[in-house]
Amino acid sequence: EEYDLFSGCIDYYSMITAYHFSNFELAERLSHNAARFYRGVGGMVSVHGRMYDALSNIAVASRGNLRRIWQIRHHLKIMRRWSKNCPENFLGNQLLVEAELASFLNDRSEAKAKYYTAIIQFRDAGILMLEALANELAGKFYIKIGNPYKAIPMLEEARRLYRAWGGTTKLRHL
């Protein structure tokens, strides 16, 4: 089967966009061709590709789907290796995936710690969009566990960061 780099690139960015706009099934469907693209390109494209691939898998996973959990853990294994070598660039991505996985597995204390640390990591690195995403996902986590008092400030911070980043369509989505 011949691989079309252009189509892979479109699927990569479409996967990220679908994830940001809560179309997790579409993001997961696009992830296979997107993975062929981001694995071949490398660099930060690969980092973000793995993160969104893992986040999409978590979003559509069911408790008994061991194959999907294995894929997420495989992404994390690679992300941890990158984080060890250059935490400034990679640690936030790893922590955010770990937070979502902990939330999925109902490990509340681990999820809280990982969300908080991911937010700080993205803030320190100056990555507005991912700091916004981390705040958004943490806010949704707190809603899920029934704590609106923690959720509301995090979602407000996510909105503020998306606005500062220029994500006006994402603001309307939230």
Side-chain angles (χ1 to χ4, degrees):
E1 172 186 340
E2 187 176 319
Y3 174 66
D4 178 4
L5 183 66
F6 181 73
S7 144
C9 180
I10 292 195
D11 285 348
Y12 169 82
Y13 286 107
S14 297
M15 173 186 70
I16 292 171
T17 302
Y19 182 84
H20 272 278
F21 289 95
S22 305
N23 191 342
F24 305 123
E25 290 79 15
L26 176 59
E28 195 274 334
R29 271 196 320 272
L30 292 166
S31 69
H32 176 70
N33 201 32
R36 292 178 71 185
F37 172 73
Y38 70 70
R39 287 180 186 136
V41 172
M44 291 307 286
V45 168
S46 186
V47 173
H48 292 125
R50 283 197 183 278
M51 183 185 78
Y52 284 104
D53 196 338
L55 291 173
S56 299
N57 270 288
I58 294 167
V60 298
S62 60
R63 296 265 180 260
N65 193 330
L66 297 178
R67 182 188 68 78
R68 205 175 291 276
I69 299 299
W70 180 88
Q71 285 177 319
I72 295 160
R73 291 189 191 281
H74 178 71
H75 284 307
L76 277 171
K77 180 179 177 183
I78 293 166
M79 294 170 87
R80 286 183 184 118
R81 188 172 46 232
W82 291 340
S83 293
K84 187 180 278 188
N85 292 321
C86 189
E88 304 83 20
N89 287 340
F90 307 123
L91 186 57
N93 301 68
Q94 171 199 320
L95 291 166
L96 189 55
V97 172
E98 289 174 342
E100 284 288 278
L101 183 58
S103 172
F104 173 76
L105 297 173
N106 288 319
D107 186 345
R108 290 181 179 186
S109 62
E110 180 77 3
K112 289 175 188 178
K114 296 291 184 172
Y115 284 122
Y116 177 76
T117 312
I119 290 166
I120 298 300
Q121 187 68 32
F122 287 132
R123 182 177 301 147
D124 289 351
I127 307 171
L128 285 178
M129 184 186 81
L130 294 179
E131 183 185 350
L133 178 61
N135 273 281
E136 177 187 353
L137 294 175
K140 289 177 178 179
F141 164 75
Y142 281 110
I143 287 172
K144 182 176 98 173
I145 66 169
N147 190 339
Y149 300 106
K150 288 230 180 189
I152 291 169
M154 299 194 107
L155 292 170
E156 287 173 345
E157 179 67 358
R159 287 183 52 81
R160 185 190 73 73
L161 290 162
Y162 282 128
R163 185 178 297 110
W165 177 65
T168 54
T169 305
K170 180 63 180 180
L171 278 171
R172 285 191 296 273
H173 174 73
L174 270 182

